[in-house]
Amino acid sequence: MAPVLDHLVIDVRDRMAAGAARMAALGFQLTPLGRHSLGSANHLAVFGEDYLELLGTDVPGGALRPDIATYPVGLNGLVFRTQQAEALSAGLVARGVPALPAQSFHRPVDLPDGAREEARFRTVRLDRGAGLDGRIYWCEHLTPQHVWRPEWQVHPNGATSIARVLISARDPERQAAMFRRIFGEAALGQGPGGRVLLPCGPVVVEVAPHAAVVAELGAAAPDPAGRGDHLVLIAFRVRDLAAASALLRAQGVLAEARPGGLRVAAEPALNATLDFLA
């Protein structure tokens, strides 16, 4: 089974408005607020083949969905794509992977022309103790036309796709062992300094030792409080790096120039480090 990244999730808990405002300042266009049948709310930043989701509740101080209630603000969900959720769940369990049964849910979608449709999904999640301190799961889109709409795929910062995902781990080999059980031995590669690489088409999921992440990110790293092995960084491809840099400056966003890109340090509204790459 070849891994394909579907989307990433940033938990914003009950700070949905603050998270959405920060994303707008960073130059992302967000979809209208959606409310899941599971009891959560979200906004999406939709790209060509993947997307970033802000997940939580839109009620300040409101109750959170039980499966996300214990997680702090930050990058929390690593989501792969599947076309057959129920068969996937059975196949993973047969290989000794602690996958849960497929779950179905939906949410209304307010379209730009004023119409309302329903986006429907089936997901397969790993047991919480199976990997990093976050959620790894697969999403089957039953109505992809209500997610990947051209009107929502154009961003002022020129972002077109996710390019890299970085996970900070005490022992990268532990997470690598789970990925091998899921995707097969040949799916993984080795990077420098004990890093494990999981190519997902044009996206690379990278698992690095805590010390290597601290050395790379320094003060730009997210606050790790309340989390052990955790997702720390997303890199986005943009059409024009100079234009993206100008937009960030105009919005008062501090971005560190790096070879081939820009880095925006984690801050409280999102608690995730963001890179923009040429």
Side-chain angles (χ1 to χ4, degrees):
M1 175 175 59
V4 176
L5 184 73
D6 188 80
H7 67 279
L8 298 171
V9 182
I10 293 180
D11 280 9
V12 292
R13 298 185 62 80
D14 65 342
R15 306 170 203 172
M16 185 67 73
R22 180 60 175 173
M23 289 291 288
L26 290 164
F28 294 99
Q29 176 189 195
L30 296 181
T31 59
L33 185 75
R35 294 181 175 86
H36 296 120
S37 56
L38 298 175
S40 49
N42 74 350
H43 286 289
L44 308 180
V46 182
F47 311 114
E49 300 293 335
D50 45 39
Y51 61 91
L52 175 65
E53 178 180 20
L54 300 186
L55 182 67
T57 175
D58 60 322
V59 180
L64 292 164
R65 221 171 72 190
D67 61 315
I68 62 174
T70 60
Y71 292 111
V73 171
L75 185 57
N76 173 56
L78 176 63
V79 190
F80 300 101
R81 185 169 302 166
T82 182
Q83 303 297 330
Q84 296 180 316
E86 293 183 1
L88 172 69
S89 177
L92 290 173
V93 171
R95 295 198 297 276
V97 177
L100 303 178
Q103 181 181 42
S104 297
F105 62 99
H106 55 88
R107 62 174 171 82
V109 178
D110 292 321
L111 300 179
D113 62 4
R116 172 166 281 201
E117 297 287 350
E118 185 175 86
R120 296 181 290 111
F121 315 89
R122 279 198 291 261
T123 57
V124 174
R125 306 178 189 278
L126 292 189
D127 182 85
R128 180 167 176 169
L132 56 88
D133 189 13
R135 297 181 302 134
I136 298 176
Y137 62 101
W138 287 258
C139 185
E140 177 184 1
H141 290 267
L142 304 178
T143 55
Q145 70 274 19
H146 299 327
V147 174
W148 283 277
R149 292 187 60 88
E151 303 96 326
W152 295 333
Q153 292 173 297
V154 179
H155 300 276
N157 62 18
T160 59
S161 65
I162 295 169
R164 179 190 181 211
V165 184
L166 179 61
I167 300 171
S168 180
R170 181 182 68 257
D171 177 12
E173 182 55 35
R174 176 176 178 268
Q175 186 61 61
M178 177 58 67
F179 283 150
R180 289 189 188 97
R181 289 166 66 187
I182 295 169
F183 299 114
E185 185 74 29
L188 274 72
Q190 292 291 326
R195 296 172 184 242
V196 174
L197 308 179
L198 178 68
C200 302
V203 185
V204 176
V205 176
E206 185 175 333
V207 188
H210 287 325
V213 172
V214 170
E216 177 183 346
L217 300 187
D223 181 358
R227 302 191 292 174
D229 295 355
H230 59 289
L231 293 142
V232 294
L233 175 145
I234 316 169
F236 303 93
R237 291 186 182 86
V238 297
R239 289 191 176 89
D240 184 331
L241 192 60
S245 178
L247 180 143
L248 294 174
R249 285 197 305 271
Q251 292 290 332
V253 175
L254 296 177
E256 175 193 359
R258 297 173 52 79
L262 303 166
R263 174 161 293 164
V264 176
E267 45 69 56
L270 301 177
N271 196 31
T273 307
L274 305 183
D275 279 359
F276 297 88
L277 307 179

